[in-house]
Amino acid sequence: MADLTDKELADFAARLHSLKADLQEVQASSKDASAVVQLDQQSVGRLSRMDALQAQAMAQETERRRALDLRKIDAALSRIDDGEFGYCAVCGDAIERGRLDLDPAAATCVAHAK
Ligand SMILES: [Zn+2]
């Protein structure tokens, strides 16, 4: 670990764990919400059913992104365990500190950000 102290790593780990807990909480409550949409579909007309399907597609997209974010967070946590946290996955250089502060799950330096 080039320039991150154990204390800083522990702080990043704590932030990642709390981000993960937040996402999982939202994930749990949004599963309830899409279950409600499905129930509504039985009893409403065609237009409303289209609305419901559209809402469901949007919810699925949101859910897909959330799952991606969770995977990023898990990957960052395992990089902390492996001692690779803070290094760009593409070029191996240290990731800018400001970038990590903004997004502790960032896996690349600014130059290699998608
Ligand atoms: Zn890089």
Side-chain angles (χ1 to χ4, degrees):
M1 199 47 46
D3 47 5
L4 291 173
T5 64
D6 286 350
K7 165 87 171 74
E8 286 173 317
L9 279 176
D11 286 347
F12 278 122
R15 274 187 66 194
L16 285 162
H17 278 298
S18 104
L19 283 170
K20 183 176 171 175
D22 287 350
L23 281 174
Q24 282 172 331
E25 199 173 308
V26 179
Q27 205 167 34
S29 60
S30 72
K31 279 203 177 104
D32 297 346
S34 54
V36 170
V37 169
Q38 289 199 323
L39 282 180
D40 286 349
Q41 274 175 251
Q42 320 289 324
S43 55
V44 294
R46 185 177 294 166
L47 264 181
S48 306
R49 192 155 60 231
M50 297 281 281
D51 286 344
L53 285 174
Q54 204 164 35
Q56 200 168 38
M58 282 170 60
Q60 280 165 354
E61 173 61 16
T62 307
E63 176 60 32
R64 196 184 62 83
R65 283 179 198 202
R66 208 176 282 133
L68 277 177
D69 283 348
L70 275 171
R71 277 211 293 277
K72 265 183 75 179
I73 290 169
D74 278 335
L77 284 168
S78 59
R79 285 197 302 276
I80 290 180
D81 288 340
D82 296 343
E84 290 165 8
F85 182 82
Y87 293 100
C88 174
V90 178
C91 66
D93 284 353
I95 297 173
E96 294 79 1
R97 184 53 197 268
R99 177 165 166 74
L100 282 178
D101 284 337
L102 275 178
D103 178 13
T108 61
C109 69
V110 170
H112 294 114
K114 277 177 224 130

